[in-house]
Amino acid sequence: MEKHFTDSRVKGVSTGTTILAAVFDGGVVIGSDSRASIGGDYVSSKAINKLIQVHDRIFSCIAGSLADAQAVTKAAKFQLSFHSIQMENPPLVIAAASVLKELCYNNKDELQAGFITAGWDKKKGPQVYVVSLGGMLIRQPVMIAGSGSTYIYGYVDAKYKVNMTREECLQFATNALALAMGRDNVSGGVVNLVVITEAGVEHIVIPGDKLPRFSDE
Amino acid sequence: MAAASMMPIFSQNVSSKSDLVPDWTRQEVSTGTTIMAVEYDGGVVVGADSRTTTGAYIANRVTDKLTRIHDRIYCCRSGSAADTQAIAEVVSYQLGFHSIELDEPPLVETAAHLFRASCYRYREELMAGILVAGWDRRKGGQVYCVPIGGMLVRQPVSVGGSGSSYIYGFMDSNYKPGLSKDQCLDLTAKALALAMERDGSSGGVVRLATISEEGVERRVLLGDQLPKFSTH
């Protein structure tokens, strides 16, 4: 059983967080909360952006130490744009994920960051890859990560279906993030969503008061 | 809501001569587990998985974690198997005695307070997270949560054990006040199945019980009868 890593043990600013990515029919939705905290006691930022655009149709979201994640994504963005110029083609999503994986695996002793990479490319369509803490890379139709993700494993297992429509997938992602934010004290703020399809990229922000409410006890 | 989450105790041993003897012989027996209790109008539904572990070894794969405390009062046990069994025995005795004195069936609230008294007094020595659920004439179906540390709170629905973390989201989105008995049974079975899929310390079969004025009905969901979810 993979050891569960709680972000509150990360020193410095951590994105104790909830991130999620899910494939639907024709595209992929990637989403996150927006809270950055220090040690689980202080919210250092209420509305940070955890969805980093590494290329035109490829986004990455970060969990773990914010400093590490920013450094890694900066390096990855550079490598990817260089690669894209060399190939004279937009990079494949797996290329982006592999770049992140190499950085995470080769520096595994120093880094404390995990990534979910999601995007669309011409070869395989919409895809979601996860690079976990030690540098493992796997592909899955839906992926959740971050400290808040523990609380929504059951919900995601029960609710996610392959080949949902765009609206169903957006509702699923919003609900899942809202539920996680309701239970995890280091996740919160607004819900940031990005929808990536062949046609392009769409950003959606859902502020706290517009989040779905579930019957509270 | 405080989670009575029990982290599976992995090896803290340093000595290397342990190579010949498996780790789990030196681990405490734990009911790293998933337990759940839901109130409905007229009674309660309680449920649990059936796995007891000592480290990585499953000591009992058909455990019964739904323990009878009185005719219409049950408790769901999570945490150290020894601690919870001992506490349950003590409380059963105390409650039985109290009931004879009163010449009346005991209240669920009384049982919950007895659990809390023991759990709080010995909170330094114990590792026990307990859900007390039952039916009585005064308040109908009730669920009380007594997590590690000895807090006591009544809740319409409560989950506990190491597997409970994974189903908070599912429970928040699927529970509504006013569910019927069958809906509660369905919700509990699904939630436990989901937790058992994700938590290494939970598994086996799903044990369910409904407690109402009529009495106690028990059932078991075996492996092939467990709710299934689309795999991904």
Side-chain angles (χ1 to χ4, degrees):
Chain A
M1 184 170 89
E2 191 181 40
K3 180 171 172 200
H4 234 97
F5 177 80
T6 42
D7 296 71
S8 54
R9 276 191 247 137
V10 173
K11 290 207 172 60
V13 180
S14 131
T15 60
T17 186
T18 313
I19 52 180
L20 166 161
V23 171
F24 64 89
D25 185 18
V28 57
V29 169
I30 186 167
S32 75
D33 71 310
S34 71
R35 180 174 289 185
S37 60
I38 300 186
D41 292 326
Y42 172 67
V43 177
S44 52
S45 173
K46 289 188 281 188
I48 66 160
N49 180 29
K50 302 181 191 180
L51 304 176
I52 317 285
Q53 184 162 23
V54 291
H55 209 266
D56 292 348
R57 299 258 187 301
I58 309 177
F59 274 73
S60 246
C61 48
I62 50 185
S65 154
L66 196 50
D68 286 347
Q70 285 185 342
V72 172
T73 44
K74 198 166 164 199
K77 252 169 124 168
F78 166 77
Q79 282 191 27
L80 214 52
S81 63
F82 195 71
H83 167 79
S84 155
I85 290 170
Q86 279 188 315
M87 304 299 286
E88 289 182 17
N89 254 325
L92 298 176
V93 186
I94 190 168
S98 299
V99 166
L100 287 165
K101 181 257 298 180
E102 283 295 300
L103 289 164
C104 286
Y105 181 70
N106 292 331
N107 300 300
K108 61 159 70 168
D109 295 330
E110 283 89 22
L111 292 175
Q112 273 175 337
F115 301 87
I116 296 181
T117 306
W120 184 94
D121 64 44
K122 243 171 58 172
K123 191 168 170 191
K124 291 192 191 163
Q127 302 144 71
V128 171
Y129 293 89
V130 58
V131 178
S132 61
L133 223 54
M136 174 180 81
L137 170 66
I138 50 172
R139 179 185 175 188
Q140 282 187 236
V142 62
M143 190 62 210
I144 52 177
S147 57
S149 67
T150 28
Y151 305 106
I152 48 173
Y153 271 105
Y155 180 80
V156 169
D157 283 345
K159 271 290 178 168
Y160 178 78
K161 309 261 174 292
V162 200
N163 284 334
M164 287 192 283
T165 65
R166 181 181 175 281
E167 278 61 40
E168 286 172 342
C169 196
L170 275 170
Q171 190 60 54
F172 161 77
T174 312
N175 287 347
L177 288 168
L179 286 165
M181 284 155 61
R183 286 289 181 180
D184 184 26
N185 66 328
V186 287
S187 295
V190 307
V191 164
N192 286 315
L193 294 169
V194 171
V195 185
I196 309 168
T197 56
E198 177 172 11
V201 161
E202 191 193 332
H203 291 262
I204 301 171
V205 178
I206 305 176
D209 56 343
K210 303 278 192 306
L211 285 176
R213 290 238 175 103
F214 299 94
S215 72
D216 270 312
E217 295 149 24
Chain B
M1 171 197 295
S5 55
M6 171 65 192
M7 294 296 285
I9 304 171
F10 289 120
S11 173
Q12 304 131 338
N13 299 314
V14 178
S15 82
S16 56
K17 68 174 184 202
S18 52
D19 284 352
L20 295 172
V21 179
D23 265 348
W24 49 257
T25 55
R26 265 162 289 115
Q27 301 287 353
E28 190 188 332
V29 175
S30 138
T31 57
T33 188
T34 315
I35 50 178
M36 182 162 168
V38 193
E39 287 177 13
Y40 65 91
D41 184 20
V44 293
V45 166
V46 291
D49 73 305
S50 70
R51 181 173 288 186
T52 304
T53 50
T54 45
Y57 174 65
I58 300 172
N60 185 353
R61 62 189 172 111
V62 285
T63 323
D64 184 5
K65 303 179 190 180
L66 306 175
T67 304
R68 179 191 172 282
I69 304 296
H70 207 267
D71 291 345
R72 302 261 187 299
I73 305 176
Y74 269 65
C75 78
C76 309
R77 302 179 291 113
S78 76
S80 152
D83 287 349
T84 53
Q85 282 178 354
I87 299 170
E89 265 178 36
V90 162
V91 172
S92 300
Y93 166 77
Q94 292 171 329
L95 201 64
F97 194 79
H98 168 77
S99 167
I100 288 170
E101 281 185 314
L102 247 53
D103 199 20
E104 246 186 38
L107 299 177
V108 187
E109 193 171 355
T110 312
H113 275 86
L114 286 170
F115 268 106
R116 188 268 298 270
S118 293
C119 289
Y120 180 70
R121 170 171 293 211
Y122 300 106
R123 64 190 182 281
E124 304 296 327
E125 287 92 18
L126 294 174
M127 178 82 91
I130 296 175
L131 296 178
V132 186
W135 179 94
D136 62 46
R137 252 185 42 178
R138 191 182 288 184
K139 292 188 187 170
Q142 301 145 74
V143 170
Y144 293 87
C145 180
V146 183
I148 295 175
M151 177 183 89
L152 170 63
V153 66
R154 180 183 173 187
Q155 293 174 318
V157 59
S158 194
V159 292
S162 56
S164 67
S165 326
Y166 303 106
I167 48 175
Y168 276 110
F170 178 80
M171 206 187 64
D172 284 342
S173 59
N174 285 67
Y175 172 77
K176 295 158 204 15
L179 294 173
S180 71
K181 177 175 99 164
D182 288 323
Q183 287 173 315
C184 287
L185 278 165
D186 184 56
L187 178 69
T188 308
K190 285 201 170 110
L192 289 170
L194 286 164
M196 282 156 61
E197 279 283 291
R198 288 289 182 179
D199 181 26
S201 310
S202 300
V205 303
V206 168
R207 293 196 187 275
L208 296 165
T210 40
I211 310 169
S212 61
E213 180 169 15
E214 285 79 54
V216 175
E217 255 180 70
R218 297 201 60 153
R219 65 194 81 175
V220 182
L221 293 178
L222 302 177
D224 55 340
Q225 300 161 329
L226 290 174
K228 289 183 191 35
F229 301 91
S230 68
T231 50
H232 51 258

